[in-house]
Amino acid sequence: MTRSAQETFFRAFHASHPAVTSRAFGDGRSAGGRSSYELLRDEIASPGRVLDLACGDGFLLELLAAAGHQAIGVDLSSVDLALARQRSAAVAEGRAQQLPFADHAFDACVSHMAFMLMTDIDEVAAELARVLRPGGQLSLVLGGGPAGGEAYALFGKLLREILAEVPAEQRIPRLGDPRTRDRAGLDEILSPAGFSPVQWRTEEIDFSGSLDQVWDFVSTVYNLFPLAESASSALKTAFLAEAPALAAPDGLIPLVFQVHLASTRIVHKGQ
């Protein structure tokens, strides 16, 4: 998938599924009771001018503003940005590979579940280094995959069975750069742009819930977007039929998802 095709895909996906990421991740909780958005917000300790890269509907921008930051978002999706403006968020439409901001404009940058999906990631790293001030912080939440409960495994099995029967145009190739999936790869991307070695930790986020709640989470993946309605309906029907057998004694279906939190700073000669 070329860069232009990939970005066209993301614009179309978010036009059809506005606020999809905040709906999926906003209610999950870590062991300490915080969502992945709150964990990312708390990575930025000192109030300042913060860029939210791929800000979506402004969910994180609102959290940052409430914490005392001057938060500004950028995203490809005009539909999501319209929702962000309804939150009174300051936003701009633009590409991560060519940010519409001046040099050294920000004290920090955050990005939630987006960096690992971006194309031309080395260009993104260079742009982030450009718009951050000397010593500026970059903090990311990256997807780590399922960590507990069988709901996601069941969903994956059923999805693979559906995809095996559909034409190629209903399938999505792997998105993003695989180097973003681990600490060493992230250092390989960020170090040439001037960032210090990444600080990395993994958190488990609990999304256990009712059958409908768990379906809403596991189905929030880009793989489903191009599927014909008949295929999507068949997948949902099969999942809703089989997942109740996974329920715990309290009636909830267990689902724990890992996220990685990565933080680094711009390092300049002489510092």
Side-chain angles (χ1 to χ4, degrees), residues 6 15-17 41 63 67 69 81 90-91 93-94 109 116 185-186 192 210 218 225-226 255 259:
Q6 190 177 60
S16 298
H17 300 74
R41 173 203 60 195
L63 293 176
H69 300 291
L81 290 176
V91 294
E93 187 170 347
C109 174
M116 73 279 190
L186 204 56
S210 68
V218 297
F225 177 51
L255 176 60
V259 297

Side-chain angles (χ1 to χ4, degrees), residues 35 37-38 41 58-69:
S35 70
Y37 285 103
E38 291 167 329
R41 173 203 60 195
F59 188 90
L60 179 56
L61 287 171
E62 203 165 56
L63 293 176
L64 290 165
H69 300 291

Side-chain angles (χ1 to χ4, degrees), residues 17-137:
H17 300 74
V20 63
T21 308
S22 63
R23 287 203 314 272
F25 284 87
D27 291 332
R29 290 293 178 264
S30 66
R34 291 178 291 170
S35 70
S36 53
Y37 285 103
E38 291 167 329
L39 291 170
L40 183 55
R41 173 203 60 195
D42 293 346
E43 288 290 290
I44 311 299
S46 301
R49 188 173 166 89
V50 181
L51 173 64
D52 183 359
L53 182 69
C55 65
D57 67 321
F59 188 90
L60 179 56
L61 287 171
E62 203 165 56
L63 293 176
L64 290 165
H69 300 291
Q70 183 183 354
I72 299 172
V74 64
D75 201 282
L76 280 173
S77 170
S78 59
V79 174
D80 270 339
L81 290 176
L83 296 176
R85 292 186 183 98
Q86 291 177 17
R87 299 177 186 267
S88 300
V91 294
E93 187 170 347
R95 302 176 61 245
Q97 299 82 359
Q98 192 174 7
L99 293 170
F101 304 110
D103 294 357
H104 313 312
F106 297 97
D107 301 299
C109 174
V110 294
S111 189
H112 182 276
M113 293 295 292
F115 192 79
M116 73 279 190
L117 300 174
M118 294 177 180
T119 189
D120 297 327
I121 200 66
D122 300 290
E123 292 180 21
V124 176
E127 275 293 270
L128 293 177
R130 180 183 67 79
V131 302
L132 284 169
R133 65 164 175 80
Q137 180 177 340

Side-chain angles (χ1 to χ4, degrees), residues 191-214:
S191 179
F195 288 93
S196 63
V198 168
Q199 297 179 11
W200 177 277
R201 77 178 195 271
T202 299
E203 296 271 356
E204 293 188 350
I205 311 294
D206 191 350
F207 294 96
S208 301
S210 68
L211 181 59
D212 287 340
Q213 288 170 329
V214 169

